[in-house]
Structures are given as structure tokens and as C-alpha cells.
Amino acid sequence: MPRTTSLTDDLRENEQFRRRTIVALIIVILMVSTIIARLFYLQVVNHHHFTTQADDNRVTVVPLAPTRGLIFDRRGRVLAENLPSFTLELIPERVVDLDATINELGRYVDISQRNIQRFYDQLQRKRRHDSIALRSHLSEAEVARFAVNRHRFPGVEINARLLRSYPYGALAVHTLGYVSQINEKELKRIDQSNYSATDYIGKIGIEKFYEPLLHGQIGYQRVETNAQGRIIDVLDSTPPKPGKNLHLTIDIELQRIAEAVLGDQRGAIVAIEPATGNLLSMVSKPSYDPNLFVQGIDHASYNALNTSADHPLFNRILRGTYPPGSTIKPIIALAALEYKKINADSSVFCPGWYSLEGDNHRYRDWKRWGHGHTNVEKAIAESCDVFFYDIAFRLGIDHMHEYMSKFGFGSITNVDISNELSGIMPSRQWKRDARGLPWFPGETLITGIGQGFMTVTPLQLARATAAIANRGALISPRVVRAVSENGEEATTINLLETSSEQIQLKNDKHWKNVVEAMQAVVHGPQGTARKIGQHSPFKIAGKTGTAQVFGIKQDEIYVKEEIAERLQDHALFIGFAPIDDPQIAIAVIVENGGSGSSTAAPIAYQVLHYYLTTLTDYGT
């Protein structure tokens, strides 16, 4: 019995082994077939797809920032440049924990809360594979400390970047402007692809107006990276196209002198070349250092600037609107001569006041006891208010509005800087629209001495003064005279459409009448600015102005010492020189400076003297 049982089991076990072997073989064949099919699918069918995907993981396109164009003054001195700076940057998608990484980086590099806040601000508007700066201007010691520990910070690099710098600091800042980081509003209007490698954009001034020229065109690199994302090879590249360099009409040494003579006073100075409209100097004080804004100004510093009672951020050249005072009297006189309301010999008796017929109100002259019999030359030289009350009444506001508008008052000058204001050249229609009231005769009188509703900017005054120097050519002022690219000579081109309108007179002799009267202001024995003309080596045509900030009652006397400093008169002066060959025209406004004769005229003279005797050797 035991032997029969043994034979039966062997046969069954052999059969069972054979079947299992067949099954296993089938499974193996199926698995190998599946693997081969999968390999065929991956290697053959989807070869192109996965090759591309692998390249994408290995190859990265890196945008290259263009070098921003430089800005030079008229003599080739650099006013805005790009300085190299070591910058600590993070690529967010390659950093596992941003907070922890930034915290750990603080052990080797000095990182402020402002740096961190700025980093996260940029993170919100950038893609996670973009490199974002955490700290700029690293010291050599900081670079060395990070380099030793670099292996501990995947996704963190130190790169050399070019950052904007203004070597003259606050000098001419309201003209130059500054660059700073792009904000959300700007991001919506710019070509984002062209700005993908740069975080900065011109905010105000020349930097903003000529942003398209200064920025340049972005370039690209295709680079091969390792598993840590670090670049191991550059496959190919398209170099960026640098921005163009701008050459200004401003002379930075004249600017330095003009800012120095204005000192700590609030005000503006505009010097212009009459024949071309080239602006030689544009001063608005107080000012501020534009370098503070490049990397983002801290809140405390910005609040200090923004809340200052002196408004250092305010561009008085383009946006300061002031009553022109007596500086417009030469143009009012021209209008009266042209409309034949007076001639060169017409005389008005000045007892020290003027009244309209049937009106008891007395419009006072600055000289309480009067100027006596006064013709147009004496009226301009001694700034007789009564004479101009009288001719303003004869002209009427309609003629005054029409004639003053020809000199650019009430309109922007179209200078190549943004945000210019037009001031006010009042008319009946203007008052009806702005105030809903009719025009009154007394308002005509005070408009004749540059008071009332009329306001002008310093730039408008300088342009109108240049038009008198040109005997009628009213030219658009310009700050940029030429452009160049790296390695090329500067080329003078018309970046903008310029205009030159000729103010035609019915009788050209009237220019002579007015200019001779303006000469008497400075060089006449009773001229209101005679002190600056006493030792001048060149002849100056000028006009002083003293503009009231607030009105006083008819019987009150203006006593400067009894009035708060912010309510005291503005001091003004306009002029050009040399009279026979005008090289420079100027407008000066000193806020609450008091008398135009004692405050504004000496400031103007120092600027004129420096320009004509030092920079041009004229008249020496």
C-alpha cells in the first residue's frame, strides 16, 4: 500500500510543477512585454515630448537686463550713472522654506525688516522662477561669509547688478528725477516682458519723461542648470540693447551756483538760453537726495519729506504758481503801446493812489507819496503802480488776456518734463466758469500789476522774458539737447516737436521802448534794481516784482516785521543779458522773500555774472 501511494504523488507533483512553470513563464512574458511596450511608448512614441520636457528641466531661459542710459550735463559731466553692486537674490521656486531661509541668511548678511518687506512685495508681482533681490550693496565681508556657506542655501545667489546712482545728490533733482521700484499701477501699463529683468523705472523728471529711451531692450540667455538650479553652461544668448544716453542743456556748475545763492530760502530759479530755448539751470528749493528712492525710501524718511512745511518734494519750477507782481509790467506796457492806449511820451500823474470814477476805493501805489508825472520808461524803471492801474483800465481785461496769452501765460510751455501746470491768465469767461461771477473793473486794475487771479510758473516767466530778449520769438523750452549710444558721439536731434512763435508788433520800435525801460530798471539812477547794475561788466535788462500773498485793508500799512514769515510778500526778478546780444534770460522767485529789489535781484545777478564771466567769458 505505501509504494502505490508514492508513485501517484510523484506524477501529480510533476504535473503540478509543469503547470506552475507554464503560468510563471506566461506571467514573466507578460511583464517583460509590458515593460517593452512601456519602453517603446516612452522612447519611441513620446520621444519628442519627453526630450523637450527633459531639456526644459535642464535648460532655463534667463532674461538679461539692459543697461540704463546715462545722463550728462551740457559739458559732458555725468549726472546719473549705473554703479555695480553685489545683490543677494532668491529664486522662490527653488527655496523650500522662504521664511526659514531668510532668517538663516540673516546670520551671514545684514537683512533689515525693510529688506524683507520689499522682497515679499516683489514676490507678489513676480513669477516664482524669477530671481528676486533681498539685499543690495553687499560688502566684501558679507559676500565672503555667504560664499563659504553657499552650499546650505539652494536657490540663493549673489549677483553683480548695476544700480542707478546720482553723483551730485540733491543738485538738480527736480529736473533729473529718479528711478525706483516698479509699482502695481506701473506694471499694468508697461511692456512686462521688456521689464522682466529689471525692477526699476523712472518715477519723475527726465528719468520718467524719457523712460522709453533710457531703459533699452531686454536680452535673453538659454542656460543649462544642474539639479540645484545653478548654471553650468550658457547655450546661447541674445544680448540686451542698452538705453540711450541723454545730454542735457543744464550746466551743473551753473546749477550749483544758482542753488547756492538761493541758499536755504524757498523758491525757484530758471535760466534759459533765449535763442534756443535751452534751459541752463532749473532750481527748486528745498530739494532732496534722489539716491534715497532708488532702493526704496524708508517710511520715516519719506514721511519727513512728505510732511515738511517747506515741501521739498514739490517741483516749484513747473508746478509752483505765483502772482507775477510787477514783473509783467513790461508786457502790459507793450500791450498798451500796441493798442495805442499810450505812446512812449504819454504821462500819468501818480499821487500815490488811483481811483475809478464814482468809486471811493483807492488802489495804492507802493510809493505812498507817489511818483509824480510818469511816462512808460519811468513807470517800468521805478515800477509805478498808478501808471499801470491807468493803462490796465484803458486796455480792459479782454485786451490784456489776449496780449498776455501771446507770451504763453495761462498755457503750459510743453517743456520735456511731465506734470507742468498752466497757471491762470484770467478773463471774463474764466471767472464765469471758475467762480460763477461776472468780472469787475477793480479786478482789471490789479491784473495790470500782476495781482488778483493771475498766476504764473517760474518757467513761464523765464520763457516770456526770453521772448522779450528775442524781440518776440517765443520758443518752447527744452532740457534734453542730444542723445547718444555707447561709444558714439552725441547727436543733436529734435526729440520732440518744438515750436517757435513770433509775436508780431505793429511797430517794432515798441520792443526798443520796453527794453530801454528794463535797462533803466538796472542801470538807471532811480531803477528799482540799480544796486546790481552799479558794477556790472555787462548791460542787464530787468524788472523787479513784489507779490502780495494776502490782501491788506485800504488804510493798513504793510509792515514786514509784524507779519508771519509765511504771509510776507514773494520777491521776484526777471531779466536778460547782455542786452545787445542776449545769452541768458532768468526768472527768480523767492517765497516770502520780501522785496524783489533787495532779495531776488541780487540772486539773479550772481547767476548772470557767473554764467557770463566764468562759463562763457562774455563781457570780461
Side-chain angles (χ1 to χ4, degrees):
M1 287 300 291
R3 292 177 65 93
T4 302
T5 301
S6 175
L7 285 173
T8 303
D9 289 340
D10 287 344
L11 287 173
R12 190 168 55 247
E13 287 176 357
N14 287 338
E15 182 60 22
Q16 189 178 39
F17 177 76
R18 190 181 66 82
R19 284 200 295 267
R20 287 178 177 174
T21 303
I22 292 173
V23 170
L25 184 60
I26 292 172
I27 292 172
V28 169
I29 292 173
L30 287 173
M31 292 178 65
V32 170
S33 298
T34 301
I35 293 172
I36 292 173
R38 183 62 180 167
L39 286 174
F40 181 82
Y41 175 80
L42 295 175
Q43 297 290 331
V44 178
V45 176
N46 284 297
H47 171 76
H48 180 70
H49 171 73
F50 287 107
T51 300
T52 303
Q53 196 172 59
D55 282 345
D56 286 346
N57 290 334
R58 180 178 60 90
V59 178
T60 302
V61 176
V62 178
L64 301 175
T67 304
R68 193 173 181 85
L70 306 179
I71 301 177
F72 301 90
D73 84 337
R74 67 179 348 213
R75 295 172 191 270
R77 287 163 290 211
V78 178
L79 306 182
E81 59 187 339
N82 307 306
L83 296 181
S85 168
F86 288 113
T87 305
L88 184 66
E89 300 177 6
L90 284 75
I91 301 176
E93 70 172 7
R94 295 176 184 168
V95 178
V96 177
D97 187 332
L98 280 174
D99 291 339
T101 299
I102 292 173
N103 187 53
E104 184 66 13
L105 282 168
R107 295 177 58 191
Y108 309 101
V109 176
D110 185 17
I111 301 171
S112 68
Q113 284 301 314
R114 176 64 181 156
N115 297 140
I116 297 172
Q117 181 62 47
R118 196 164 53 215
F119 173 82
Y120 281 108
D121 288 344
Q122 292 185 70
L123 183 62
Q124 292 179 359
R125 63 179 179 81
K126 287 211 164 195
R127 297 167 296 189
R128 294 189 65 80
H129 62 265
D130 288 339
S131 185
I132 301 176
L134 178 63
R135 239 299 302 281
S136 301
H137 299 297
L138 297 183
S139 66
E140 292 183 1
E142 288 175 318
V143 172
R145 284 199 298 270
F146 174 79
V148 172
N149 295 277
R150 177 177 173 178
H151 63 282
R152 300 178 52 212
F153 298 101
V156 182
E157 294 284 352
I158 287 181
N159 294 313
R161 302 284 186 190
L162 292 175
L163 294 181
R164 202 60 157 177
S165 177
Y166 302 94
Y168 289 92
L171 212 57
V173 61
H174 290 99
T175 301
L176 285 176
Y178 57 80
V179 301
S180 192
Q181 293 183 344
I182 301 170
N183 59 34
E184 292 296 329
K185 186 177 178 182
E186 292 159 341
L187 200 62
K188 292 177 182 175
R189 64 175 172 80
I190 61 175
D191 177 359
Q192 294 190 26
S193 62
N194 198 31
Y195 280 81
S196 59
T198 180
D199 299 322
Y200 303 97
I201 193 169
K203 295 288 183 177
I204 60 171
I206 291 296
E207 291 277 25
K208 178 181 181 181
F209 195 88
Y210 288 101
E211 173 66 26
L213 284 179
L214 288 166
H215 180 265
Q217 289 293 319
I218 193 174
Y220 292 95
Q221 269 188 346
R222 281 203 321 130
V223 299
E224 187 175 8
T225 58
N226 61 16
Q228 286 73 42
R230 295 201 171 94
I231 296 172
I232 57 176
D233 193 14
V234 176
L235 302 177
D236 56 61
S237 67
T238 301
K241 187 176 180 181
K244 294 183 184 298
N245 301 324
L246 299 182
H247 301 260
L248 306 190
T249 59
I250 298 291
D251 188 303
I252 200 63
E253 289 306 317
L254 183 67
Q255 182 80 19
R256 189 196 303 279
I257 293 297
E259 296 203 12
V261 296
L262 189 55
D264 295 330
Q265 300 177 97
R266 301 179 302 279
I269 301 173
V270 179
I272 188 171
E273 199 172 56
T276 61
N278 288 340
L279 289 158
L280 302 170
S281 174
M282 301 174 77
V283 175
S284 176
K285 293 197 78 174
S287 59
Y288 59 93
D289 187 350
N291 292 300
L292 292 172
F293 288 84
V294 175
Q295 284 294 289
I297 188 170
D298 62 87
H299 289 294
S301 299
Y302 181 76
N303 285 337
L305 290 172
N306 196 38
T307 59
S308 169
D310 292 335
H311 304 293
L313 298 176
F314 182 59
N315 187 345
R316 290 167 164 82
I317 304 161
L318 305 180
R319 299 182 63 79
T321 53
Y322 305 88
S326 298
T327 58
I328 62 162
K329 285 177 178 174
I331 301 174
I332 296 289
L334 265 180
L337 290 167
E338 279 292 285
Y339 287 113
K340 297 184 177 178
K341 303 299 180 183
I342 58 170
N343 60 46
D345 298 320
S346 297
S347 180
V348 172
F349 181 76
C350 170
W353 53 269
Y354 184 88
S355 285
L356 290 168
E357 187 175 348
D359 187 347
N360 292 328
H361 183 83
R362 288 188 171 186
Y363 296 86
R364 300 286 184 183
D365 194 283
W366 68 268
K367 196 173 185 179
R368 297 186 62 196
W369 52 91
H371 296 268
H373 292 284
T374 305
N375 62 13
V376 66
E377 180 172 324
K378 180 180 176 183
I380 292 174
E382 300 183 21
S383 202
C384 175
D385 291 332
V386 168
F387 183 90
F388 284 93
Y389 290 144
D390 184 69
I391 65 172
F393 178 71
R394 296 195 211 180
L395 280 167
I397 188 60
D398 296 332
H399 280 157
M400 281 199 291
H401 174 80
E402 177 188 352
Y403 205 79
M404 298 293 286
S405 297
K406 292 181 180 179
F407 284 81
F409 296 117
S411 305
I412 61 172
T413 66
N414 286 315
V415 68
D416 46 348
I417 305 177
S418 304
N419 299 323
E420 181 183 10
L421 292 183
S422 63
I424 298 171
M425 185 58 238
S427 64
R428 297 178 195 278
Q429 187 64 45
W430 171 85
K431 189 179 176 190
R432 197 174 296 118
D433 294 341
R435 306 294 173 93
L437 294 170
W439 187 265
F440 298 113
E443 293 165 343
T444 301
L445 301 191
I446 60 175
T447 302
I449 62 166
Q451 294 284 172
F453 298 117
M454 185 177 182
T455 58
V456 302
T457 66
L459 183 60
Q460 286 176 325
L461 266 187
R463 184 194 187 201
T465 306
I468 298 174
N470 291 334
R471 276 52 167 184
L474 185 71
I475 300 175
S476 298
R478 286 288 174 267
V479 182
V480 174
R481 64 173 180 82
V483 299
S484 67
E485 296 187 38
N486 289 336
E488 292 184 355
E489 290 291 327
T491 304
T492 301
I493 61 171
N494 289 325
L495 295 172
L496 297 172
E497 184 178 348
T498 58
S499 65
S500 176
E501 303 169 14
Q502 182 63 39
I503 301 168
Q504 298 288 350
L505 297 190
K506 295 172 185 172
N507 187 345
D508 282 343
K509 185 182 178 184
H510 296 159
W511 290 120
K512 183 173 180 290
N513 296 142
V514 167
V515 171
E516 285 179 351
M518 292 177 71
Q519 179 176 339
V521 170
V522 180
H523 301 282
Q526 300 300 321
T528 53
R530 59 187 179 279
K531 288 185 179 177
I532 67 170
Q534 291 173 351
H535 305 292
S536 174
F538 44 82
K539 293 294 184 184
I540 303 169
K543 183 69 194 80
T544 57
T546 303
Q548 287 183 347
V549 175
F550 76 107
I552 61 174
K553 294 180 181 178
Q554 187 169 23
D555 297 328
E556 287 183 339
I557 297 175
Y558 179 89
V559 181
K560 178 180 177 182
E561 291 72 19
E562 296 178 358
I563 297 175
E565 190 267 342
R566 302 272 174 174
L567 296 178
Q568 293 177 10
D569 295 341
H570 295 327
L572 299 96
F573 182 85
I574 62 166
F576 62 88
I579 291 176
D580 295 333
D581 181 20
Q583 301 294 306
I584 179 173
I586 193 169
V588 176
I589 293 179
V590 183
E591 292 181 7
N592 312 115
S595 164
S597 303
S598 60
T599 303
I603 289 172
Y605 177 71
Q606 290 183 71
V607 176
L608 295 173
H609 188 272
Y610 182 80
Y611 184 72
L612 293 174
T613 62
T614 304
L615 297 183
T616 64
D617 296 328
Y618 198 100
T620 59

